[in-house]
């Protein structure tokens, strides 16, 4: 293995460890981050706004809130098996337009890894525990 390949592998491993170190997040800090989302989403109710409810989003198949009109690409992503977990949410929330070209969400994204981890921790509070 060349030095450049070894360096690339180590760089990726280091980046992934930084993300996983923040994976737990701080729900209280996430509540503050979620203020950016409140104009379009409820999290403490099954009601819809401009965007679908995010209550129970963790573990939910993309594009499946009943009665919400999703973009075709969001529905197709769900049909192809996209389920909202920590990794998928982090990728989507970092840059929704890049993660899923053609989706309707106009949010620019969360650029800080801590904000991503924290808002995901906050969203988890509104997902019923598996029985």
């Amino acid at each position: 293995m060349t030095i450049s390949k070894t360096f690339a592998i180590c760089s990726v491993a280091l980046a992934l460890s930084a993300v996983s170190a923040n994976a737990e997040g701080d729900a209280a800090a996430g509540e503050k981050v979620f203020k950016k989302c409140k104009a379009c989403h409820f999290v403490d109710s099954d009601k819809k706004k401009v965007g679908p409810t995010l209550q129970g989003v963790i573990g939910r198949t993309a594009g499946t809130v009943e009665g919400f009109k999703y973009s075709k690409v969001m529905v197709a992503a769900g049909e192809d098996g996209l389920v909202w977990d920590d990794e998928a949410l982090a990728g989507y929330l970092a840059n929704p337009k890049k993660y899923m070209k053609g989706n309707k969400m106009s949010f620019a994204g969360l650029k800080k890894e801590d904000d991503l981890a924290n808002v995901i921790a906050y969203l988890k509070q509104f997902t019923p525990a598996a029985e």
Side-chain angles (χ1 to χ4, degrees), residues 44-105:
D44 57 354
S45 165
D46 62 357
K47 295 179 183 175
K48 297 169 248 353
K49 287 186 174 184
V50 173
T53 180
L54 297 180
Q55 184 178 51
V57 69
I58 307 293
R60 184 167 68 211
T61 301
T64 60
V65 170
E66 192 172 324
F68 186 79
K69 186 166 174 51
Y70 288 97
S71 62
K72 290 178 184 177
V73 296
M74 183 66 75
V75 171
E79 290 171 349
D80 288 342
L82 178 62
V83 174
W84 296 119
D85 60 12
D86 291 23
E87 184 180 343
L89 280 170
Y92 184 73
L93 294 174
N95 190 335
K97 293 295 183 188
K98 184 177 178 184
Y99 186 87
M100 189 179 298
K101 291 184 185 345
N103 81 80
K104 296 191 308 185
M105 191 158 102

Side-chain angles (χ1 to χ4, degrees), residues 103-114:
N103 81 80
K104 296 191 308 185
M105 191 158 102
S106 62
F107 182 63
L110 297 171
K111 303 306 174 205
K112 297 178 183 175
E113 288 180 23
D114 284 345

Side-chain angles (χ1 to χ4, degrees), residues 4-35:
S4 62
K5 285 183 182 177
T6 303
F7 179 74
I9 291 169
C10 290
S11 297
V12 169
L14 183 61
L16 289 175
S17 68
V19 170
S20 62
N22 290 332
E24 291 303 311
D26 176 346
E31 183 175 10
K32 293 176 185 169
V33 176
F34 189 78
K35 289 179 180 180

